Amino acid sequence: MILYKGKLYETSQQARLLGRMEKDINDTRARKRLDISKVIGAVDMIGQKLEAGIYKEKIAQLGIEAMEEQIRTVVAMANRESIEYRLEVELGELKGPFLNGQAIKGRQGSGMDAVDTYIYPLGTLFHIAAGNREGLPVFSVLEGLLTGNINILKLPQADQGLSIEILQELLEIEPSLAEFLYVFDTPSTDLDAMCAMAGMSDGIVVWGGDEAVAAVRRFAPAGVRLIEWGHKLSFAYLSGLDEIEEEILDEELRALAEHIVSTRQVLCSSCQVIYLDQSSLEGVKDFCNRFLPYLEQAALKFPAKSAGMRAEISMKCYCETLQKIIAGEELTERQLFAGRNCSLTACEDMELELSEMLGNCLVKCLPSEMMMDVLRRNKGYLQTAGLLCPQNKRRELTERMADCGVARVTSVGKMSDSFFGEAHDGEYPLRRYVRTVNVEVC
């Protein structure tokens, strides 16, 4: 389905609609400016309805895991005060002039008597969303609306109609947003349509892995701003565990296990590797034996719905072990600690890499003095570090990881938690969706 200026069309109408879309976009940009307060009001209303349970049955039909927790997060983010706080944090003094059309300030210039500075939307954003988290396409579009842009959204294949339903509800609350929203279920293989949408845009917002980003770079027109939100890697770092009180350590290890299992390790902020601040492989194996029961308990608490995927990963790990035995290879390089619906793998190397996911985590040594050399090999991919250590080590280790390029440092159980005003991968997204216009005061 296609959502075009508030109306639904069959996918078969795509070519016809793309043929008129640039004129429609230009007409809107020439005669309208989006009222950001109306965007905030509509999103706030969606949050209120969500909190009241009005959409509960529809959401339940989608089979979203950890639904209640996700709903609470969305409700908190959709709150008017939360949105206004985010605008203030991300845009600061830019926000006010953008909303009311007044100049930020006049400045004396060396060649001009005075110059006013205005903030405008980038113009038209083309969102190419990934399907690894429910609601991500809508989230991306809302960021575009909050900065006054016209938005073209290409839905991910796994969307299941969720995004169009939410955006239709948004338009029902605030019809004036319709001219600022175009949604297509175009497959990524339809390069002609993708190029047409890109050609109408001032910025392309792409979510996905290296292949997706590289593909967009190949067809992105020159002069169009490419805004990449690529896949990232996150890890937990454990140091000085013998110095932590047993009760606190037990609570933190349980929280880490529940984070690993409940996120299925599919998020950029999910823990892929557990690093131990030591150099002993035997210590890694000891930790695996200690931590595996926590992981098994978490797997019972958050059972995965996809039994087939779990079986595939278990079989892959088992076959890899058998192949090494048959080939007469040493098994010390990677040793599997298999649990019920989960596993840990003790590794000799120190590389940060993607795990098998779905409750299957890698465990490695990483002495703190080697952190820079190891982590910088993944520069550009680092996101969240979950830190578990004695309080007196926390500041030093936090600063060291930040120096390496890590964007977020949290406790091990809150690696995927959101908070108001947070940056995304070390940047404030809304700043990337606006532009600055300088005007001489005459």
Side-chain angles (χ1 to χ4, degrees):
M1 297 297 291
I2 297 172
L3 181 61
Y4 191 101
K5 294 178 68 174
K7 295 182 180 179
L8 281 178
Y9 296 86
E10 294 294 332
T11 304
S12 59
Q13 297 293 309
Q14 176 179 277
R16 182 180 69 82
L17 293 172
L18 286 177
R20 57 177 273 197
M21 192 163 74
E22 185 163 19
K23 182 180 185 306
D24 286 345
I25 288 174
N26 288 341
D27 285 347
T28 299
R29 290 178 60 173
R31 61 186 173 79
K32 281 192 175 182
R33 181 174 295 185
L34 188 56
D35 186 341
I36 307 304
S37 65
K38 290 184 177 180
V39 179
I40 297 172
V43 175
D44 180 68
M45 181 62 69
I46 290 279
Q48 291 179 38
K49 289 188 173 185
L50 190 60
E51 188 173 25
I54 292 176
Y55 309 128
K56 192 170 184 178
E57 289 185 10
K58 283 186 178 181
I59 295 174
Q61 293 172 5
L62 298 169
I64 299 173
E65 296 194 28
M67 182 179 72
E68 295 298 330
E69 183 179 346
Q70 290 202 40
I71 288 175
R72 284 194 296 271
T73 299
V74 173
V75 168
M77 294 175 66
N79 177 274
R80 177 184 295 274
E81 291 182 1
S82 301
I83 298 171
E84 290 177 345
Y85 177 75
R86 182 182 178 190
L87 288 167
E88 185 65 38
V89 169
E90 295 201 29
L91 298 179
E93 67 173 1
L94 308 185
K95 173 178 66 69
F98 175 72
L99 291 178
N100 60 32
Q102 297 176 4
I104 297 172
K105 60 184 69 175
R107 292 185 182 275
Q108 295 298 319
S110 58
M112 302 179 189
D113 291 334
V115 174
D116 281 341
T117 301
Y118 295 85
I119 299 301
Y120 277 77
L122 190 59
T124 303
L125 297 179
F126 176 27
H127 304 261
I128 304 174
N132 66 324
R133 189 162 194 175
E134 295 86 358
L136 177 60
V138 175
F139 176 79
S140 188
V141 165
L142 290 179
E143 290 186 326
L145 290 172
L146 285 170
T147 43
N149 290 282
I150 290 175
N151 298 271
I152 306 168
L153 171 63
K154 191 206 87 67
L155 293 170
Q157 187 175 359
D159 189 76
Q160 302 180 55
L162 174 64
S163 296
I164 284 184
E165 282 200 40
I166 296 173
L167 293 172
Q168 278 186 294
E169 183 70 23
L170 191 75
L171 297 184
E172 187 175 320
I173 295 169
E174 186 47 68
S176 66
L177 305 182
E179 290 189 60
F180 294 82
L181 188 57
Y182 301 85
V183 183
F184 293 84
D185 57 357
T186 305
S188 298
T189 52
D190 189 349
L191 290 180
D192 288 342
M194 297 280 282
C195 289
M197 295 179 205
M200 301 177 205
S201 306
D202 300 280
I204 302 176
V205 183
V206 55
W207 303 76
D210 291 348
E211 290 184 8
V213 172
V216 174
R217 283 177 176 168
R218 285 193 290 270
F219 69 70
V224 173
R225 185 182 299 181
L226 190 55
I227 303 163
E228 303 171 13
W229 301 117
H231 285 174
K232 304 294 179 183
L233 290 170
S234 298
F235 60 91
Y237 193 80
L238 282 54
S239 179
L241 299 189
D242 55 346
E243 302 173 35
I244 301 174
E245 292 182 20
E246 192 63 31
E247 184 177 345
I248 295 175
L249 182 58
D250 176 73
E251 183 180 331
E252 290 295 317
L253 291 178
R254 182 175 291 106
L256 174 58
E258 291 185 358
H259 157 77
I260 290 170
V261 174
S262 66
T263 66
R264 311 297 176 214
Q265 296 169 277
V266 300
L267 307 179
C268 291
S269 56
S270 296
C271 176
Q272 306 297 336
V273 177
I274 299 172
Y275 279 125
L276 304 178
D277 186 3
Q278 59 181 47
S279 55
S280 166
L281 183 60
E282 288 305 313
V284 170
K285 294 177 181 178
D286 289 343
F287 175 81
C288 288
N289 281 318
R290 177 181 187 177
F291 187 62
L292 189 59
Y294 289 96
L295 208 57
E296 289 184 310
Q297 290 171 15
L300 286 173
K301 184 175 180 179
F302 301 100
K305 296 184 178 179
S306 176
M309 191 174 291
R310 288 203 317 267
E312 182 181 344
I313 291 173
S314 298
M315 184 60 70
K316 180 180 178 182
C317 295
Y318 180 67
C319 288
E320 287 177 354
T321 303
L322 285 180
Q323 286 170 0
K324 288 185 177 181
I325 293 173
I326 294 169
E329 297 178 14
E330 292 289 335
L331 297 179
T332 54
E333 183 180 346
R334 294 206 166 191
Q335 182 173 337
L336 181 68
F337 292 76
R340 181 171 296 180
N341 297 328
C342 61
S343 73
L344 295 167
T345 304
C347 309
E348 284 188 342
D349 69 280
M350 297 182 182
E351 298 307 308
L352 179 59
E353 59 182 308
L354 192 66
S355 70
E356 295 288 354
M357 303 189 290
L358 293 178
N360 300 277
C361 199
L362 306 174
V363 186
K364 307 186 180 190
C365 294
L366 180 57
S368 58
E369 62 271 16
M370 299 183 66
M371 194 182 290
M372 181 65 75
D373 291 338
V374 172
L375 295 183
R376 286 298 291 164
R377 290 199 282 269
N378 283 282
K379 60 182 180 292
Y381 292 92
L382 302 174
Q383 200 214 59
T384 301
L387 178 57
L388 174 56
C389 67
Q391 192 61 36
N392 60 359
K393 289 186 176 182
R394 190 166 189 87
R395 180 172 180 176
E396 176 191 347
L397 290 173
T398 296
E399 290 180 352
R400 185 167 293 189
M401 287 189 284
D403 287 340
C404 293
V406 170
R408 298 172 76 231
V409 181
T410 70
S411 57
V412 290
K414 297 183 177 179
M415 292 176 62
S416 295
D417 286 12
S418 299
F419 60 91
F420 302 138
E422 70 175 313
H424 183 69
D425 295 342
E427 297 184 73
Y428 284 138
L430 302 188
R431 292 186 181 180
R432 303 184 71 178
Y433 302 156
V434 298
R435 58 194 174 90
T436 304
V437 177
N438 296 127
V439 179
E440 180 187 4
V441 179
C442 297

